[in-house]
């Protein structure tokens, strides 16, 4: 068994880490009437697409190739976004596993014609999986936190990952229990 572990480890070359700043990006977009919902503010789905776009760019940059959205959680809308707002979506890799990455995203908005500072209007955490040309998972470089803020984000991401896995396991256990009891959904 020891030989198998050491052989498997030697078959997988170490991938050098990348600093958190290497893939950090900002996507900016001005909101127009075509982005609005029935209330006249920007539709949450428009903001979610911008969040996914920015996070996908960061995941692709960090992993050095294609990455797909595996999950989005903790999407928070803090303030409404209006037509004419210039929206900035800031994203960075917070944590990496073997083939997955958590990307943290902050959404800021400012009036296009004012010089007031941007206000945070939303935030989200997404998990991306790096994939090869056949759509199979591929390894990603570890993220290297650089600042105290990066270190905090890394530690918080580990907590969120633990909760995601525990939630998934609890749901699977419940489904197995219900199936064993003959309960069909």
């Amino acid at each position: 068994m020891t030989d198998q572990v050491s052989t498997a480890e030697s078959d997988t070359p170490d991938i050098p880490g990348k600093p958190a700043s290497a893939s950090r990006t900002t996507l900016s977009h001005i909101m127009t009437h075509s982005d609005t919902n029935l209330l006249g503010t920007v539709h949450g789905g428009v903001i979610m697409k911008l969040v996914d776009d920015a996070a996908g760019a960061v995941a692709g940059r960090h992993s050095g190739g294609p990455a797909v959205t595996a999950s989005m959680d903790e999407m928070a809308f803090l303030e409404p976004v209006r037509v004419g707002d210039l929206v900035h979506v800031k994203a960075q890799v917070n944590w990496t596993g073997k083939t997955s990455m958590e990307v943290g995203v902050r959404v800021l908005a400012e009036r296009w014609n004012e010089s007031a500072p941007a206000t945070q209007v939303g935030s989200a955490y997404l998990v991306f999986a790096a994939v090869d040309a056949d759509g199979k998972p591929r390894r990603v470089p570890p993220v290297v936190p650089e600042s105290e803020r990066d270190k905090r984000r890394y530690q918080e991401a580990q907590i969120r990952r633990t909760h995601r896995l525990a939630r998934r396991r609890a749901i699977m256990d419940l489904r197995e229990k219900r199936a064993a009891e003959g309960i069909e959904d």
Side-chain angles (χ1 to χ4, degrees), residues 113-156:
N113 59 348
E114 296 176 10
S115 60
T119 303
Q120 184 171 352
V121 296
S123 64
Y125 298 102
L126 296 89
V127 176
F128 278 78
V131 295
D132 64 17
D134 297 322
K136 302 291 184 208
R138 62 181 175 80
R139 293 189 54 98
V140 299
V143 66
V144 179
E146 299 168 279
S147 67
E148 286 304 314
R149 177 183 242 182
D150 291 340
K151 291 174 187 172
R152 175 188 54 80
R153 292 172 73 119
Y154 185 90
Q155 291 168 335
E156 290 173 357

mmCIF file of all heavy atoms in Angstrom, residues 113-156:
data_model
loop_
_atom_site.group_PDB
_atom_site.id
_atom_site.type_symbol
_atom_site.label_atom_id
_atom_site.label_comp_id
_atom_site.label_asym_id
_atom_site.label_seq_id
_atom_site.Cartn_x
_atom_site.Cartn_y
_atom_site.Cartn_z
ATOM 1 N N ASN A 113 -22.425 59.096 -14.116
ATOM 2 C CA ASN A 113 -22.134 60.518 -14.299
ATOM 3 C C ASN A 113 -21.777 61.239 -12.996
ATOM 4 O O ASN A 113 -21.825 62.457 -12.940
ATOM 5 C CB ASN A 113 -23.323 61.207 -14.963
ATOM 6 C CG ASN A 113 -24.598 61.076 -14.137
ATOM 7 O OD1 ASN A 113 -24.654 60.305 -13.187
ATOM 8 N ND2 ASN A 113 -25.618 61.831 -14.510
ATOM 9 N N GLU A 114 -21.440 60.496 -11.968
ATOM 10 C CA GLU A 114 -21.072 61.097 -10.687
ATOM 11 C C GLU A 114 -19.691 60.619 -10.271
ATOM 12 O O GLU A 114 -19.252 59.550 -10.690
ATOM 13 C CB GLU A 114 -22.096 60.722 -9.609
ATOM 14 C CG GLU A 114 -23.488 61.262 -9.873
ATOM 15 C CD GLU A 114 -24.503 60.802 -8.832
ATOM 16 O OE1 GLU A 114 -24.104 60.217 -7.812
ATOM 17 O OE2 GLU A 114 -25.699 61.022 -9.066
ATOM 18 N N SER A 115 -19.046 61.388 -9.424
ATOM 19 C CA SER A 115 -17.708 60.995 -8.978
ATOM 20 C C SER A 115 -17.718 60.411 -7.573
ATOM 21 O O SER A 115 -16.666 60.274 -6.952
ATOM 22 C CB SER A 115 -16.754 62.198 -9.048
ATOM 23 O OG SER A 115 -17.239 63.236 -8.214
ATOM 24 N N ALA A 116 -18.886 60.055 -7.061
ATOM 25 C CA ALA A 116 -18.983 59.434 -5.732
ATOM 26 C C ALA A 116 -18.380 58.035 -5.775
ATOM 27 O O ALA A 116 -18.391 57.372 -6.824
ATOM 28 C CB ALA A 116 -20.443 59.359 -5.296
ATOM 29 N N PRO A 117 -17.850 57.576 -4.647
ATOM 30 C CA PRO A 117 -17.263 56.226 -4.642
ATOM 31 C C PRO A 117 -18.316 55.145 -4.900
ATOM 32 O O PRO A 117 -19.496 55.322 -4.604
ATOM 33 C CB PRO A 117 -16.685 56.080 -3.237
ATOM 34 C CG PRO A 117 -17.051 57.301 -2.470
ATOM 35 C CD PRO A 117 -17.763 58.252 -3.372
ATOM 36 N N ALA A 118 -17.857 54.053 -5.455
ATOM 37 C CA ALA A 118 -18.740 52.913 -5.725
ATOM 38 C C ALA A 118 -19.213 52.309 -4.412
ATOM 39 O O ALA A 118 -18.494 52.318 -3.410
ATOM 40 C CB ALA A 118 -18.010 51.877 -6.562
ATOM 41 N N THR A 119 -20.414 51.755 -4.426
ATOM 42 C CA THR A 119 -21.017 51.103 -3.267
ATOM 43 C C THR A 119 -21.106 49.611 -3.522
ATOM 44 O O THR A 119 -21.470 49.206 -4.639
ATOM 45 C CB THR A 119 -22.456 51.643 -3.047
ATOM 46 O OG1 THR A 119 -22.400 53.055 -2.901
ATOM 47 C CG2 THR A 119 -23.118 51.013 -1.844
ATOM 48 N N GLN A 120 -20.824 48.801 -2.503
ATOM 49 C CA GLN A 120 -20.988 47.356 -2.689
ATOM 50 C C GLN A 120 -22.474 47.042 -2.736
ATOM 51 O O GLN A 120 -23.225 47.400 -1.835
ATOM 52 C CB GLN A 120 -20.318 46.563 -1.571
ATOM 53 C CG GLN A 120 -20.408 45.071 -1.826
ATOM 54 C CD GLN A 120 -19.590 44.227 -0.873
ATOM 55 O OE1 GLN A 120 -18.819 44.739 -0.080
ATOM 56 N NE2 GLN A 120 -19.764 42.934 -0.969
ATOM 57 N N VAL A 121 -22.883 46.343 -3.808
ATOM 58 C CA VAL A 121 -24.288 46.011 -4.008
ATOM 59 C C VAL A 121 -24.540 44.508 -3.991
ATOM 60 O O VAL A 121 -25.686 44.066 -3.994
ATOM 61 C CB VAL A 121 -24.841 46.628 -5.317
ATOM 62 C CG1 VAL A 121 -24.817 48.148 -5.242
ATOM 63 C CG2 VAL A 121 -24.067 46.123 -6.534
ATOM 64 N N GLY A 122 -23.466 43.710 -3.954
ATOM 65 C CA GLY A 122 -23.655 42.266 -3.939
ATOM 66 C C GLY A 122 -22.350 41.531 -3.728
ATOM 67 O O GLY A 122 -21.262 42.122 -3.804
ATOM 68 N N SER A 123 -22.492 40.238 -3.440
ATOM 69 C CA SER A 123 -21.325 39.367 -3.308
ATOM 70 C C SER A 123 -21.767 37.931 -3.544
ATOM 71 O O SER A 123 -22.948 37.602 -3.420
ATOM 72 C CB SER A 123 -20.682 39.500 -1.925
ATOM 73 O OG SER A 123 -21.580 39.051 -0.929
ATOM 74 N N ALA A 124 -20.800 37.102 -3.896
ATOM 75 C CA ALA A 124 -21.104 35.691 -4.149
ATOM 76 C C ALA A 124 -19.838 34.867 -4.040
ATOM 77 O O ALA A 124 -18.725 35.391 -4.141
ATOM 78 C CB ALA A 124 -21.707 35.502 -5.538
ATOM 79 N N TYR A 125 -20.051 33.568 -3.839
ATOM 80 C CA TYR A 125 -18.969 32.588 -3.880
ATOM 81 C C TYR A 125 -19.373 31.526 -4.894
ATOM 82 O O TYR A 125 -20.494 31.039 -4.873
ATOM 83 C CB TYR A 125 -18.746 31.946 -2.509
ATOM 84 C CG TYR A 125 -18.339 32.957 -1.475
ATOM 85 C CD1 TYR A 125 -19.253 33.432 -0.552
ATOM 86 C CD2 TYR A 125 -17.042 33.456 -1.441
ATOM 87 C CE1 TYR A 125 -18.881 34.370 0.389
ATOM 88 C CE2 TYR A 125 -16.670 34.409 -0.506
ATOM 89 C CZ TYR A 125 -17.595 34.859 0.398
ATOM 90 O OH TYR A 125 -17.223 35.800 1.332
ATOM 91 N N LEU A 126 -18.442 31.206 -5.785
ATOM 92 C CA LEU A 126 -18.690 30.194 -6.799
ATOM 93 C C LEU A 126 -17.590 29.154 -6.735
ATOM 94 O O LEU A 126 -16.447 29.477 -6.390
ATOM 95 C CB LEU A 126 -18.700 30.807 -8.200
ATOM 96 C CG LEU A 126 -19.801 31.826 -8.480
ATOM 97 C CD1 LEU A 126 -19.348 33.227 -8.093
ATOM 98 C CD2 LEU A 126 -20.187 31.795 -9.939
ATOM 99 N N VAL A 127 -17.932 27.924 -7.079
ATOM 100 C CA VAL A 127 -16.938 26.864 -7.192
ATOM 101 C C VAL A 127 -16.846 26.490 -8.659
ATOM 102 O O VAL A 127 -17.872 26.254 -9.315
ATOM 103 C CB VAL A 127 -17.317 25.632 -6.340
ATOM 104 C CG1 VAL A 127 -16.318 24.506 -6.553
ATOM 105 C CG2 VAL A 127 -17.412 26.020 -4.865
ATOM 106 N N PHE A 128 -15.620 26.480 -9.162
ATOM 107 C CA PHE A 128 -15.355 26.092 -10.542
ATOM 108 C C PHE A 128 -14.516 24.833 -10.560
ATOM 109 O O PHE A 128 -13.660 24.637 -9.692
ATOM 110 C CB PHE A 128 -14.595 27.199 -11.286
ATOM 111 C CG PHE A 128 -15.494 28.279 -11.798
ATOM 112 C CD1 PHE A 128 -15.981 29.254 -10.946
ATOM 113 C CD2 PHE A 128 -15.871 28.311 -13.132
ATOM 114 C CE1 PHE A 128 -16.832 30.243 -11.413
ATOM 115 C CE2 PHE A 128 -16.714 29.296 -13.604
ATOM 116 C CZ PHE A 128 -17.196 30.270 -12.747
ATOM 117 N N ALA A 129 -14.757 23.994 -11.552
ATOM 118 C CA ALA A 129 -13.935 22.808 -11.775
ATOM 119 C C ALA A 129 -13.159 23.012 -13.070
ATOM 120 O O ALA A 129 -13.741 23.385 -14.094
ATOM 121 C CB ALA A 129 -14.815 21.565 -11.881
ATOM 122 N N ALA A 130 -11.871 22.792 -13.009
ATOM 123 C CA ALA A 130 -11.040 22.860 -14.211
ATOM 124 C C ALA A 130 -11.259 21.586 -15.013
ATOM 125 O O ALA A 130 -11.319 20.493 -14.444
ATOM 126 C CB ALA A 130 -9.571 23.011 -13.838
ATOM 127 N N VAL A 131 -11.404 21.734 -16.334
ATOM 128 C CA VAL A 131 -11.646 20.574 -17.192
ATOM 129 C C VAL A 131 -10.681 20.575 -18.372
ATOM 130 O O VAL A 131 -10.195 21.617 -18.802
ATOM 131 C CB VAL A 131 -13.106 20.531 -17.702
ATOM 132 C CG1 VAL A 131 -14.084 20.320 -16.553
ATOM 133 C CG2 VAL A 131 -13.460 21.797 -18.477
ATOM 134 N N ASP A 132 -10.438 19.369 -18.885
ATOM 135 C CA ASP A 132 -9.582 19.240 -20.070
ATOM 136 C C ASP A 132 -10.457 19.278 -21.325
ATOM 137 O O ASP A 132 -11.669 19.524 -21.242
ATOM 138 C CB ASP A 132 -8.729 17.973 -19.991
ATOM 139 C CG ASP A 132 -9.537 16.683 -19.990
ATOM 140 O OD1 ASP A 132 -10.740 16.695 -20.370
ATOM 141 O OD2 ASP A 132 -8.972 15.637 -19.615
ATOM 142 N N ALA A 133 -9.871 19.017 -22.478
ATOM 143 C CA ALA A 133 -10.582 19.079 -23.754
ATOM 144 C C ALA A 133 -11.730 18.084 -23.832
ATOM 145 O O ALA A 133 -12.686 18.286 -24.590
ATOM 146 C CB ALA A 133 -9.608 18.845 -24.911
ATOM 147 N N ASP A 134 -11.671 17.008 -23.049
ATOM 148 C CA ASP A 134 -12.733 16.009 -23.034
ATOM 149 C C ASP A 134 -13.765 16.262 -21.940
ATOM 150 O O ASP A 134 -14.653 15.437 -21.716
ATOM 151 C CB ASP A 134 -12.131 14.608 -22.853
ATOM 152 C CG ASP A 134 -11.222 14.221 -24.010
ATOM 153 O OD1 ASP A 134 -11.558 14.563 -25.167
ATOM 154 O OD2 ASP A 134 -10.167 13.599 -23.753
ATOM 155 N N GLY A 135 -13.619 17.373 -21.225
ATOM 156 C CA GLY A 135 -14.551 17.689 -20.146
ATOM 157 C C GLY A 135 -14.261 16.961 -18.849
ATOM 158 O O GLY A 135 -15.070 16.988 -17.930
ATOM 159 N N LYS A 136 -13.109 16.315 -18.764
ATOM 160 C CA LYS A 136 -12.719 15.591 -17.549
ATOM 161 C C LYS A 136 -11.977 16.538 -16.608
ATOM 162 O O LYS A 136 -11.254 17.431 -17.067
ATOM 163 C CB LYS A 136 -11.800 14.403 -17.897
ATOM 164 C CG LYS A 136 -12.415 13.415 -18.867
ATOM 165 C CD LYS A 136 -13.547 12.668 -18.244
ATOM 166 C CE LYS A 136 -14.074 11.623 -19.213
ATOM 167 N NZ LYS A 136 -15.452 11.329 -19.011
ATOM 168 N N PRO A 137 -12.130 16.348 -15.293
ATOM 169 C CA PRO A 137 -11.429 17.220 -14.342
ATOM 170 C C PRO A 137 -9.913 17.165 -14.546
ATOM 171 O O PRO A 137 -9.355 16.124 -14.875
ATOM 172 C CB PRO A 137 -11.790 16.630 -12.980
ATOM 173 C CG PRO A 137 -13.037 15.844 -13.207
ATOM 174 C CD PRO A 137 -12.946 15.340 -14.625
ATOM 175 N N ARG A 138 -9.289 18.318 -14.369
ATOM 176 C CA ARG A 138 -7.828 18.387 -14.441
ATOM 177 C C ARG A 138 -7.316 19.174 -13.234
ATOM 178 O O ARG A 138 -8.048 19.964 -12.637
ATOM 179 C CB ARG A 138 -7.367 19.021 -15.753
ATOM 180 C CG ARG A 138 -7.803 20.427 -15.948
ATOM 181 C CD ARG A 138 -7.340 21.019 -17.288
ATOM 182 N NE ARG A 138 -7.901 22.350 -17.438
ATOM 183 C CZ ARG A 138 -7.425 23.438 -16.863
ATOM 184 N NH1 ARG A 138 -6.350 23.383 -16.113
ATOM 185 N NH2 ARG A 138 -8.016 24.601 -17.034
ATOM 186 N N ARG A 139 -6.081 18.925 -12.888
ATOM 187 C CA ARG A 139 -5.493 19.554 -11.699
ATOM 188 C C ARG A 139 -5.311 21.060 -11.892
ATOM 189 O O ARG A 139 -5.102 21.522 -13.006
ATOM 190 C CB ARG A 139 -4.160 18.904 -11.362
ATOM 191 C CG ARG A 139 -4.355 17.442 -10.895
ATOM 192 C CD ARG A 139 -3.097 16.832 -10.351
ATOM 193 N NE ARG A 139 -2.493 17.612 -9.289
ATOM 194 C CZ ARG A 139 -2.638 17.377 -7.976
ATOM 195 N NH1 ARG A 139 -3.352 16.361 -7.576
ATOM 196 N NH2 ARG A 139 -2.039 18.125 -7.084
ATOM 197 N N VAL A 140 -5.398 21.762 -10.781
ATOM 198 C CA VAL A 140 -5.181 23.209 -10.798
ATOM 199 C C VAL A 140 -4.014 23.552 -9.885
ATOM 200 O O VAL A 140 -3.727 22.830 -8.924
ATOM 201 C CB VAL A 140 -6.431 23.991 -10.349
ATOM 202 C CG1 VAL A 140 -7.595 23.720 -11.277
ATOM 203 C CG2 VAL A 140 -6.811 23.678 -8.915
ATOM 204 N N PRO A 141 -3.337 24.653 -10.176
ATOM 205 C CA PRO A 141 -2.261 25.066 -9.281
ATOM 206 C C PRO A 141 -2.835 25.548 -7.952
ATOM 207 O O PRO A 141 -3.926 26.118 -7.919
ATOM 208 C CB PRO A 141 -1.595 26.229 -10.021
ATOM 209 C CG PRO A 141 -2.389 26.507 -11.228
ATOM 210 C CD PRO A 141 -3.488 25.505 -11.337
ATOM 211 N N PRO A 142 -2.120 25.325 -6.868
ATOM 212 C CA PRO A 142 -2.589 25.877 -5.592
ATOM 213 C C PRO A 142 -2.561 27.403 -5.642
ATOM 214 O O PRO A 142 -1.731 27.986 -6.330
ATOM 215 C CB PRO A 142 -1.582 25.362 -4.568
ATOM 216 C CG PRO A 142 -0.589 24.559 -5.299
ATOM 217 C CD PRO A 142 -0.885 24.578 -6.756
ATOM 218 N N VAL A 143 -3.506 28.024 -4.939
ATOM 219 C CA VAL A 143 -3.470 29.477 -4.818
ATOM 220 C C VAL A 143 -2.579 29.823 -3.631
ATOM 221 O O VAL A 143 -2.599 29.132 -2.606
ATOM 222 C CB VAL A 143 -4.880 30.092 -4.653
ATOM 223 C CG1 VAL A 143 -5.533 29.701 -3.341
ATOM 224 C CG2 VAL A 143 -4.833 31.609 -4.792
ATOM 225 N N VAL A 144 -1.783 30.853 -3.785
ATOM 226 C CA VAL A 144 -0.878 31.290 -2.729
ATOM 227 C C VAL A 144 -1.381 32.632 -2.201
ATOM 228 O O VAL A 144 -1.257 33.655 -2.891
ATOM 229 C CB VAL A 144 0.567 31.428 -3.255
ATOM 230 C CG1 VAL A 144 1.494 31.918 -2.157
ATOM 231 C CG2 VAL A 144 1.044 30.115 -3.861
ATOM 232 N N PRO A 145 -1.989 32.630 -1.002
ATOM 233 C CA PRO A 145 -2.450 33.893 -0.427
ATOM 234 C C PRO A 145 -1.258 34.814 -0.171
ATOM 235 O O PRO A 145 -0.232 34.381 0.325
ATOM 236 C CB PRO A 145 -3.110 33.480 0.889
ATOM 237 C CG PRO A 145 -3.352 32.012 0.776
ATOM 238 C CD PRO A 145 -2.291 31.491 -0.143
ATOM 239 N N GLU A 146 -1.416 36.096 -0.520
ATOM 240 C CA GLU A 146 -0.320 37.040 -0.386
ATOM 241 C C GLU A 146 -0.491 37.988 0.799
ATOM 242 O O GLU A 146 0.456 38.287 1.497
ATOM 243 C CB GLU A 146 -0.188 37.867 -1.664
ATOM 244 C CG GLU A 146 0.112 37.016 -2.880
ATOM 245 C CD GLU A 146 -0.058 37.798 -4.159
ATOM 246 O OE1 GLU A 146 -1.214 37.944 -4.609
ATOM 247 O OE2 GLU A 146 0.964 38.253 -4.684
ATOM 248 N N SER A 147 -1.683 38.473 1.009
ATOM 249 C CA SER A 147 -1.944 39.453 2.056
ATOM 250 C C SER A 147 -2.704 38.814 3.208
ATOM 251 O O SER A 147 -3.176 37.671 3.095
ATOM 252 C CB SER A 147 -2.766 40.611 1.483
ATOM 253 O OG SER A 147 -4.070 40.138 1.123
ATOM 254 N N GLU A 148 -2.854 39.551 4.277
ATOM 255 C CA GLU A 148 -3.669 39.063 5.394
ATOM 256 C C GLU A 148 -5.113 38.850 4.947
ATOM 257 O O GLU A 148 -5.760 37.907 5.358
ATOM 258 C CB GLU A 148 -3.596 40.030 6.583
ATOM 259 C CG GLU A 148 -2.282 39.976 7.327
ATOM 260 C CD GLU A 148 -1.932 38.561 7.819
ATOM 261 O OE1 GLU A 148 -2.799 37.871 8.384
ATOM 262 O OE2 GLU A 148 -0.769 38.149 7.624
ATOM 263 N N ARG A 149 -5.599 39.722 4.076
ATOM 264 C CA ARG A 149 -6.957 39.576 3.541
ATOM 265 C C ARG A 149 -7.077 38.279 2.739
ATOM 266 O O ARG A 149 -8.051 37.550 2.857
ATOM 267 C CB ARG A 149 -7.296 40.776 2.675
ATOM 268 C CG ARG A 149 -8.659 40.666 2.020
ATOM 269 C CD ARG A 149 -8.913 41.846 1.132
ATOM 270 N NE ARG A 149 -10.067 42.537 1.668
ATOM 271 C CZ ARG A 149 -10.611 43.602 1.145
ATOM 272 N NH1 ARG A 149 -10.066 44.161 0.086
ATOM 273 N NH2 ARG A 149 -11.680 44.135 1.650
ATOM 274 N N ASP A 150 -6.062 37.982 1.908
ATOM 275 C CA ASP A 150 -6.057 36.740 1.130
ATOM 276 C C ASP A 150 -6.042 35.527 2.055
ATOM 277 O O ASP A 150 -6.725 34.528 1.792
ATOM 278 C CB ASP A 150 -4.845 36.668 0.199
ATOM 279 C CG ASP A 150 -4.886 37.661 -0.940
ATOM 280 O OD1 ASP A 150 -5.974 38.170 -1.269
ATOM 281 O OD2 ASP A 150 -3.808 37.935 -1.507
ATOM 282 N N LYS A 151 -5.264 35.590 3.119
ATOM 283 C CA LYS A 151 -5.194 34.482 4.080
ATOM 284 C C LYS A 151 -6.541 34.268 4.761
ATOM 285 O O LYS A 151 -6.990 33.131 4.930
ATOM 286 C CB LYS A 151 -4.101 34.734 5.117
ATOM 287 C CG LYS A 151 -2.703 34.649 4.529
ATOM 288 C CD LYS A 151 -1.641 35.049 5.541
ATOM 289 C CE LYS A 151 -0.277 35.115 4.858
ATOM 290 N NZ LYS A 151 0.738 35.679 5.743
ATOM 291 N N ARG A 152 -7.201 35.372 5.147
ATOM 292 C CA ARG A 152 -8.532 35.261 5.760
ATOM 293 C C ARG A 152 -9.517 34.652 4.773
ATOM 294 O O ARG A 152 -10.281 33.752 5.120
ATOM 295 C CB ARG A 152 -9.023 36.643 6.213
ATOM 296 C CG ARG A 152 -10.460 36.602 6.751
ATOM 297 C CD ARG A 152 -11.018 37.990 7.029
ATOM 298 N NE ARG A 152 -10.953 38.929 5.933
ATOM 299 C CZ ARG A 152 -11.819 38.966 4.902
ATOM 300 N NH1 ARG A 152 -12.793 38.074 4.810
ATOM 301 N NH2 ARG A 152 -11.701 39.879 3.968
ATOM 302 N N ARG A 153 -9.473 35.102 3.525
ATOM 303 C CA ARG A 153 -10.397 34.580 2.512
ATOM 304 C C ARG A 153 -10.157 33.089 2.278
ATOM 305 O O ARG A 153 -11.092 32.314 2.098
ATOM 306 C CB ARG A 153 -10.249 35.369 1.209
ATOM 307 C CG ARG A 153 -10.732 36.808 1.329
ATOM 308 C CD ARG A 153 -10.396 37.616 0.107
ATOM 309 N NE ARG A 153 -11.254 37.230 -0.990
ATOM 310 C CZ ARG A 153 -12.095 38.036 -1.605
ATOM 311 N NH1 ARG A 153 -12.182 39.292 -1.245
ATOM 312 N NH2 ARG A 153 -12.830 37.593 -2.601
ATOM 313 N N TYR A 154 -8.889 32.683 2.289
ATOM 314 C CA TYR A 154 -8.534 31.269 2.127
ATOM 315 C C TYR A 154 -9.119 30.437 3.270
ATOM 316 O O TYR A 154 -9.728 29.394 3.050
ATOM 317 C CB TYR A 154 -7.005 31.130 2.077
ATOM 318 C CG TYR A 154 -6.528 29.731 1.783
ATOM 319 C CD1 TYR A 154 -6.316 29.316 0.477
ATOM 320 C CD2 TYR A 154 -6.287 28.814 2.810
ATOM 321 C CE1 TYR A 154 -5.872 28.025 0.188
ATOM 322 C CE2 TYR A 154 -5.851 27.532 2.532
ATOM 323 C CZ TYR A 154 -5.642 27.150 1.227
ATOM 324 O OH TYR A 154 -5.215 25.873 0.951
ATOM 325 N N GLN A 155 -8.947 30.910 4.497
ATOM 326 C CA GLN A 155 -9.457 30.177 5.665
ATOM 327 C C GLN A 155 -10.981 30.117 5.656
ATOM 328 O O GLN A 155 -11.569 29.071 5.946
ATOM 329 C CB GLN A 155 -8.947 30.828 6.949
ATOM 330 C CG GLN A 155 -7.454 30.654 7.142
ATOM 331 C CD GLN A 155 -6.899 31.532 8.260
ATOM 332 O OE1 GLN A 155 -7.447 32.576 8.601
ATOM 333 N NE2 GLN A 155 -5.786 31.083 8.832
ATOM 334 N N GLU A 156 -11.638 31.223 5.316
ATOM 335 C CA GLU A 156 -13.099 31.225 5.249
ATOM 336 C C GLU A 156 -13.592 30.288 4.145
ATOM 337 O O GLU A 156 -14.614 29.616 4.302
ATOM 338 C CB GLU A 156 -13.616 32.642 5.012
ATOM 339 C CG GLU A 156 -13.427 33.549 6.216
ATOM 340 C CD GLU A 156 -13.792 34.996 5.937
ATOM 341 O OE1 GLU A 156 -14.154 35.329 4.774
ATOM 342 O OE2 GLU A 156 -13.700 35.806 6.874
#
